[in-house]
Amino acid sequence: MRTDDLIVELAARPWPGTRPGLRLAFAMILGWAVALIGMVVALGPPLAAVAQTGTAPLALKLGYTVALTLITAALALAAGKPGRRLGARSLIVLMPVAIIAAVAALELTSSPSNARDSLMFGSSFNICVAAISIASLPVLAGVIWAFRALAPTRLALAGFIAGFSAGAAGAAAYALYCPETTASFLLTSYTPGMLIPALIGAAVGPRLLRW
């Protein structure tokens, strides 16, 4: 049987009995729990920063990261089905980014120029990017395990999306500790932190997601 014929046949079949959606959810939740435990060990109890930042910045950070986690997890499931092209649906991942970018633009344009670096990078830029990248690793490992129930054909793309979902989940864990309060910081610090595991996923996808 030719490869193209096999892909068509697999795409026409129902999802396997392992329920890959539940498998992916379980893997991500377990990986997130491991990441959070690691942060508790390294940084202490979560939410300690809320006393200084207030609940509104926490809600903004969680809204951004959880939205991206859910969107990219759904895209990862679609990318794991053989022959499935994401097409325009993948653009939905830009919606949370666009919202945060709009809020950040308002912050930056309404602030004096000498305050903009502080709004964008705060006092913890390097810690934030590193913490998100590290926290994403157990989630990424779980997502790769979950992909054993799937059959992606565009392995680098599937790996990128898997890594992005892991990065977003890791960012949601770090949000419970983050002392920063601005949307500008979210855009310039959280987003690169999520993209690092996405690039790792794209690099390892062709080898680890092969079926």
Side-chain angles (χ1 to χ4, degrees), residues 1-210:
M1 180 182 290
R2 294 187 310 167
T3 301
D4 291 345
D5 295 334
L6 176 60
I7 291 172
V8 171
E9 181 180 343
L10 287 172
R13 291 179 183 175
W15 285 97
T18 51
R19 295 187 179 182
L22 292 178
R23 182 182 173 110
L24 179 61
F26 170 77
M28 292 190 69
I29 292 170
L30 182 60
W32 187 86
V34 171
L36 183 60
I37 290 170
M39 286 194 172
V40 170
V41 171
L43 302 176
L47 302 177
V50 176
Q52 287 75 40
T53 64
T55 56
L58 175 64
L60 183 67
K61 287 176 277 194
L62 287 178
Y64 183 50
T65 56
V66 172
L68 284 174
T69 301
L70 296 175
I71 291 169
T72 52
L75 290 174
L77 273 178
K81 191 170 184 181
R84 177 70 62 88
R85 292 188 176 275
L86 299 179
R89 82 178 72 179
S90 61
L91 296 178
I92 193 173
V93 76
L94 297 178
M95 290 181 61
V97 180
I99 292 170
I100 292 299
V103 178
L106 289 175
E107 288 177 347
L108 294 172
T109 55
S110 61
S111 301
S113 58
N114 60 0
R116 290 172 185 168
D117 283 351
S118 177
L119 290 173
M120 290 189 294
F121 304 110
S123 61
S124 60
F125 172 81
N126 292 332
I127 293 173
C128 173
V129 174
I132 290 173
S133 300
I134 294 169
S136 72
L137 295 179
V139 186
L140 180 57
V143 173
I144 290 173
W145 170 80
F147 260 76
R148 293 182 181 275
L150 301 171
T153 52
R154 303 178 69 186
L155 301 179
L157 176 62
F160 180 88
I161 297 171
F164 201 158
S165 65
Y174 178 71
L176 303 177
Y177 289 88
C178 180
E180 308 293 345
T181 60
T182 68
S184 304
F185 184 85
L186 270 179
L187 186 66
T188 58
S189 304
Y190 276 58
T191 308
M194 291 184 277
L195 287 175
I196 289 172
L199 294 174
I200 294 173
V204 303
R207 183 171 57 182
L208 298 183
L209 302 183
R210 189 177 300 278

